[in-house]
Amino acid sequence: MQITFQTKDESNTRQLEDFLKLSKSERIYSFIRLSESISKFPVKNKVDKNKDNFIIYIKPKL
């Protein structure tokens, strides 16, 4: 593992260059892997605002 010290702009530029070096299909697979890994991040449970409420649905007359 290598540690490098760089600014945020330098890091972003390097990431962009590395991404653009990939072929089109590799870019798509990279995006899909990234999306999949993001979906595994822990998140806070969302509070359902309608949990204690009831909803009345009125069917329209035809």
Side-chain angles (χ1 to χ4, degrees):
M1 181 174 167
Q2 181 179 357
I3 298 175
T4 59
F5 295 96
Q6 53 194 2
T7 65
K8 184 174 182 177
D9 290 334
E10 291 170 341
S11 175
N12 289 342
T13 303
R14 182 170 176 238
Q15 288 177 5
L16 178 61
E17 289 171 355
D18 290 344
F19 183 74
L20 293 176
K21 287 179 187 176
L22 299 174
S23 69
K24 291 181 181 183
S25 60
E26 289 175 322
R27 290 180 195 176
I28 292 172
Y29 288 126
S30 174
F31 173 75
I32 292 171
R33 281 191 303 270
L34 176 64
S35 298
E36 190 176 66
S37 66
I38 287 175
S39 69
K40 294 177 183 176
F41 278 20
V43 294
K44 290 183 178 180
N45 291 336
K46 293 182 180 179
V47 176
D48 186 8
K49 294 179 184 177
N50 293 324
K51 178 182 173 194
D52 296 327
N53 295 334
F54 65 93
I55 301 174
I56 299 174
Y57 291 104
I58 301 175
K59 294 181 181 179
K61 293 181 180 180
L62 296 176

